[in-house]
Structure formats: C-alpha cells, structure tokens
Amino acid sequence: MRPNPDAQSPGPCEAAPARKGGERPSRRLLLGLLGSTGMLAALPAAGQAPTSAPKASFGYADVVERARQLGERPFDADAARIPESLSQLSYDSYREIRLRRDKAFWRDGGSDFRLLPFHLGFLHDKPVQLHSVANGVALPIPFTTALFEYGKVPVPKGLSPSLGFAGFAVTTTLNHPTVQDEVISFLGASYFRLIGRGQRYGLSARSLALDIGGAYPEEFPFMRALWLEEPAPDATELVIYALLDSPSVAGAYRYVVRPGPTTHVDVTATIVPRKVIERIGIAPLTSMFQAGEGDLAQRSDFRPEIHDSDGLMMQAGSGEWIWRPLRNPRSLRIASFVDENPRGFGLMQRDRDFGNYQDLEAHYHARPGYWVEPQGEWGKGRIELIEIPTDNEAFDNIGACWTPEAPLPVGEASEFRYSLSALSTTGPLHPYAQTQHSFAGSDLEDGHAQGQGSKRFIVDFAGGDLAYHLGDPARVELAVSVTAGSVMTRILQPNPAAGGFRAIVDASLPDGQTGEMRIFLRARGRTLSETWTSSWTAPAAAAPPQPSE
C-alpha cells in the first residue's frame, strides 16, 4: 500500500503529513479528529432547492446506473479538486474548525439518528457531494461556512455551496438512551468505520482496494457522492448509498447500518472496471499491529502489547475455521489463502484484557474486530493478508481482503454482497476451542543440523469442549503439518489454568526457506479446535569465512 493522503488515518506504508516544526501528528490524534464530536458539522435548514428537479423514488438502482455511465467515461481527475486555501491547512489549523454544536441534521425528525458532515481540508481534499433522501426524493446538501466555528483560522471566503464535504459521521443512542454517540463515519477515500456498544474506533473498513500489496503503486478509489435516507421516527437502521470513482473503476454501494451491542452493516457493491485490474480487493480491511504478546523486541515503551487487531480469522468454504496471528515483520509479507466461496474472514482484536495493553489513552482492549460474511457465492479466489514493517503505532501496516481468481470483466457490472460486523469477541462465531495465546520462539540452537534452521512454537487452545477433555487428556491428539521442512518435536500439555491445552512444536527448515505450519486439536477423529497457522523463514546460511591473504 502506498501513502494515502485521503485516509482517515495513515494507511500501510504511508507517512503522516508533517506538522509545523517537523513534528508528525500521531495516529491517536488523527483518530481524535474522527471520534471527536467537536469536529462534526451541522446541516443547513431544509428548503434550499437543488439546481435541477430531483428524481422521485431515488434508490440503489439510480446509483448503479450512475456508476455504469461513469465507468463508460474516462476518469476526470480535475473534477475532485478543492480550493488551495483548504488543501494547505495544517493539522493544527484543521483541528480549529469545529461544529456549531446546536445544529445537526435530523434533529427535528424524531429519530435517534443525527447526520453530521465533516469540513474539507488538510488530508481530506476529495470533495464528496452529500444528499439527504426523504420520501424518495434526493436533495443535495449545500456547503456554507455558517455551519462551522473556525477558531483561530480565518473563515474561508468565496466558497461555493456546491463545494461538498470531506465525509460525514452518524450518531445515535448507541451506549445510552439519551446520549448521542458516533456509530459510523465515512472520511477519506472509500474508508469507513463502525463501532458497537462500548467499543472505540480502531481498524478501518474500505469499500474497495486496488493493487494492495502489489508490484504497482496502490490506487485509492474515493467517493464522489453519498446519499443518506432520512430515518423515520421509529427507525432502527440507516440506509446509505455511495458513488465510487478512480482511474481504474467506478462503483455503486449500498450500506444498511443496524446499530447495537454488535453493529452490523449489510453491504452491496456493484463494480464497473474501466480496465483489467489484476489485484482487486473486495471487502478490504486495514489495521495496525506493532507489538504483541510474543514480540518483546518490538515494544517501544512500558506497554506489553500495541495493536488494533491481533489476528486474521477465517472460515473457509470447506467450513474449516482458521486463526492466523498477526506480526510486525522485518520485511513486507503477503500470505494468500486460496479458497472457493469463503464463508467469512476478518481482522479481530481477540485479546480484551486491559492489563495486556496498559494504555489509558488508546484503549486498545476496547477496539473492535471486523467480521466479513459473504452473501451468495463469491467463486474462486484468495483471502490475502498484507503485513508491513512498522516502528510506529501511528501508521496502519496490516491489510486483508478477498481477491477473485479472475479479473472482473471490463465495462461490465459485477456485484458482491456481504455483511460487516463490529465484534468485541470471537467466541460466538464457532463452537470449537480458540487460540488464546501463541508464541514463536527464537531460533533454536539445539537440534540444528547443517543447512537447517529450527524454531519452537507454543500455542494455547482454550474454550469449546476442551475443559471436558481435561478429564482424560490422553484422548486429545495434536495434529501438526508443515509445507516445508519437518516437525522435530510435538508436545501436548493439559493447561487447567486456562481450561484447555498447550501445544509445543519444534520444526526445522532448510536455511533461507519459508514454510507454513498448521496446528489443531482433535479427539478420535473429531475436530476440537480451530486451526492455528503461521509462516516462518529459516535464517540464511552464513557465508563461509574467506582465507586470509
């Protein structure tokens, strides 16, 4: 992934813009822009007429048709520019621009939802035209500086009502019946975030990813227009439409948001490629992982762990459940899990123990995981996990998405449907034991053969039916497989303190080679746990000493 100036937080491999004096804004401060209601904009009074007669009964079919027409035309880069006075705003100046807090769209409609646009400027330089849809009629929302307080920043002059916005947030009574809290926001390119009850913003979802982790610079599709259906007084869900554009693709999206203890979004995506796209990411997710429980060398301060997500969870088309712990690698790593009609995948924050983070500001223990559940058949392809080195929690360095085996047909509409859920726990997803902890030790000296590297892996499984099997541990079998090298030692120990078992595996691998390992538990042919999987690379053989002259 390349630097993304439109993202609501820096994406993988990108550097945040420098502040005055050379100081870079931290990721926490960028998240603060998103999560702070002080940065949210109110809307003008109703009754301002559009420039042309709106079409009645506006719906998703209208957005799809616009995407088809947009895809038939060359990409227009000049149609998405903002005045220089806004694009040159510094991080500190942009934070000065705040919502006039006594105004919000839908306040007088009787529903629990409020619509709150974001001001353009700083990183957010792609204008989005916002519309409110009431009784089937879509009306544009005009921009005006009267909606905002600008603090020490001079109020911009001469801005057009058609300028647009940077995006929006929606608040609702998520955590308390009388308090408005953010539940979803769209800000930057095609990024959006959602949270459930008691959660804090963490990882991001994206509507589409192009050439993510590929050999070419990543392309960032962005939203040209967004429509929101005005909720009825008794509405429990929110409907959003989006028109997406980029040099390679046009697209239409429909999001149905259902807030609650677990917030769900049903997504329908219609994608119209302008050209052949070799690496297209469906339902992409992006997150941050700097240090985990086994990464002592990557800790930068007193905190034991620093991450928004700690694992990639998958349910293959075969029904197998898989857990892949995330890493902060020494070099770019891309893992591909080939599959057909996957049942689900997501970047999850499984560790919810505050004591494992000790962060009173970031609240990593309260960050949600995002679970993608495809609807219908997605065919053949692969779930890809992209891990990029980082030494700073300010930068997202993890990506995951579904990539179809064959490129989508140029000029034709391809539809994908899926649900996206913001989860606080992975426990209810399947009945098997889950990975509680996993450690990859340093390279082993004992047992090292000529031309072979060796490493120890330790995996704790808990939950499911493992507490029952502690009554007769001999019934439980440790199943281990490797794609390269060999397994030297396999040990399975009862772990009553965790209500499960600990697997200890030593593996060897030829110097310089990379292999995949899979570990799961079973008893008399019955699977007891999800499959833990990881890759490792044996150090390259040292060059032989050169004779002295």
Side-chain angles (χ1 to χ4, degrees):
M1 305 179 191
R2 70 176 181 179
N4 175 14
D6 302 315
Q8 47 193 319
S9 64
C13 271
E14 73 183 87
R19 303 173 68 185
K20 290 182 178 179
E23 180 185 358
R24 295 185 182 275
S26 74
R27 184 171 181 272
R28 293 184 182 182
L29 292 177
L30 291 176
L31 295 182
L33 290 179
L34 178 62
S36 170
T37 55
M39 291 299 297
L40 301 175
L43 293 176
Q48 300 189 39
T51 56
S52 60
K55 177 182 176 180
S57 301
F58 180 89
Y60 185 53
D62 298 283
V63 186
V64 171
E65 181 57 30
R66 295 187 186 204
R68 290 180 187 273
Q69 295 176 6
L70 189 62
E72 293 174 353
R73 302 195 300 268
F75 174 72
D76 184 0
D78 294 330
R81 297 185 181 277
I82 65 172
E84 188 174 349
S85 61
L86 298 182
S87 62
Q88 291 187 348
L89 284 174
S90 69
Y91 170 80
D92 292 321
S93 296
Y94 186 68
R95 281 182 57 85
E96 289 285 319
I97 305 174
R98 297 183 178 274
L99 163 72
R100 294 187 179 276
R101 300 177 68 90
D102 61 338
K103 299 178 181 179
F105 201 48
W106 303 336
R107 283 178 64 93
D108 301 325
S111 79
D112 287 335
F113 293 98
R114 305 288 184 266
L115 170 60
L116 307 142
F118 290 111
H119 198 286
L120 284 162
F122 183 49
L123 296 177
H124 312 299
D125 58 359
K126 290 288 193 303
V128 180
Q129 299 301 318
L130 297 184
H131 306 76
S132 183
V133 182
N135 300 317
V137 178
L139 296 175
I141 299 170
F143 170 84
T144 171
T145 56
L147 304 175
F148 301 92
E149 296 174 349
Y150 288 84
K152 299 177 182 179
V153 177
V155 178
K157 304 297 183 182
L159 299 181
S160 169
S162 63
L163 174 66
F165 299 89
F168 69 86
V170 171
T171 65
T172 191
T173 52
L174 182 65
N175 298 299
H176 190 278
T178 62
V179 177
Q180 288 282 320
D181 291 311
E182 284 190 31
V183 65
I184 193 168
S185 61
F186 284 71
L187 182 61
S190 68
Y191 286 71
F192 63 100
R193 281 193 169 108
L194 60 144
I195 50 177
R197 190 169 300 161
Q199 298 173 352
R200 299 293 189 97
Y201 278 132
L203 78 167
S204 298
R206 298 166 64 180
S207 299
L208 193 66
L210 303 178
D211 291 317
I212 181 172
Y216 302 99
E218 184 176 355
E219 184 177 311
F220 290 90
F222 63 95
M223 301 303 191
R224 286 201 183 270
L226 290 157
W227 296 260
L228 299 98
E229 291 189 0
E230 183 174 348
D234 59 351
T236 58
E237 64 181 33
L238 181 70
V239 180
I240 303 167
Y241 307 103
L243 179 65
L244 177 142
D245 196 15
S246 82
S248 299
V249 69
Y253 284 76
R254 181 177 186 261
Y255 313 86
V256 180
V257 186
R258 301 192 303 278
T262 298
T263 294
H264 303 277
V265 180
D266 293 328
V267 181
T268 303
T270 303
I271 302 166
V272 185
R274 287 188 171 95
K275 62 181 183 180
V276 175
I277 304 170
E278 294 295 338
R279 296 176 62 90
I280 189 167
I282 307 299
L285 308 172
T286 183
S287 190
M288 181 276 296
F289 184 94
Q290 181 181 346
E293 57 198 6
D295 302 314
L296 299 178
Q298 292 171 327
R299 297 178 185 175
S300 57
D301 51 39
F302 69 95
R303 293 169 295 168
E305 300 183 40
I306 306 169
H307 52 76
D308 284 337
S309 308
D310 55 10
L312 171 66
M313 192 171 187
M314 297 168 279
Q315 186 184 21
S318 64
E320 180 186 21
W321 287 89
I322 302 169
W323 177 259
R324 175 66 165 247
L326 298 181
R327 297 174 303 169
N328 182 1
R330 296 179 181 177
S331 59
L332 171 68
R333 300 186 72 97
I334 300 178
S336 294
F337 301 87
V338 177
D339 201 1
E340 183 172 1
N341 298 323
R343 301 188 189 182
F345 69 93
L347 292 174
M348 317 305 292
Q349 185 78 316
R350 182 171 281 182
D351 189 343
R352 317 302 298 184
D353 187 346
F354 168 80
N356 292 333
Y357 302 97
Q358 293 293 334
D359 197 315
L360 293 171
E361 181 183 353
H363 292 271
Y364 286 121
H365 65 287
R367 303 286 173 101
Y370 286 173
W371 178 248
V372 175
E373 189 172 358
Q375 307 298 315
E377 295 187 349
W378 281 15
K380 295 181 179 181
R382 61 192 183 274
I383 295 170
E384 292 199 319
L385 172 65
I386 299 94
E387 298 168 303
I388 301 170
T390 186
D391 59 2
N392 193 326
E393 65 191 290
F395 309 116
D396 284 350
N397 64 314
I398 303 295
C401 62
W402 169 258
T403 299
E405 179 182 68
L408 303 185
V410 176
E412 299 182 18
S414 297
E415 183 180 281
F416 295 86
R417 293 180 295 112
Y418 59 94
S419 65
L420 179 66
S421 303
L423 304 179
S424 293
T425 175
T426 61
L429 289 179
H430 65 67
Y432 305 106
Q434 298 191 5
T435 302
Q436 187 179 60
H437 305 289
S438 64
F439 306 90
S442 58
D443 298 324
L444 299 175
E445 294 296 334
D446 296 339
H448 180 84
Q450 184 67 31
Q452 295 280 325
S454 57
K455 185 181 288 290
R456 168 162 289 182
F457 300 87
I458 301 173
V459 182
D460 286 337
F461 293 100
D465 207 23
L466 291 189
Y468 166 82
H469 285 279
L470 285 173
D472 186 4
R475 297 166 63 97
V476 181
E477 177 188 354
L478 174 58
V480 183
S481 62
V482 292
T483 60
S486 61
V487 176
M488 302 161 52
T489 305
R490 62 183 79 196
I491 302 171
L492 186 62
Q493 296 177 330
N495 187 355
F501 288 78
R502 170 168 292 178
I504 302 174
V505 178
D506 296 338
S508 66
L509 194 64
D511 290 343
Q513 289 194 16
T514 298
E516 292 277 340
M517 177 180 290
R518 292 163 51 88
I519 300 174
F520 70 96
L521 305 182
R522 61 190 175 198
R524 299 191 175 183
R526 183 168 68 90
T527 298
L528 298 180
S529 74
E530 64 189 10
T531 299
W532 175 95
T533 182
S534 186
S535 67
W536 70 289
T537 300
Q546 299 296 318
S548 58
E549 296 182 0

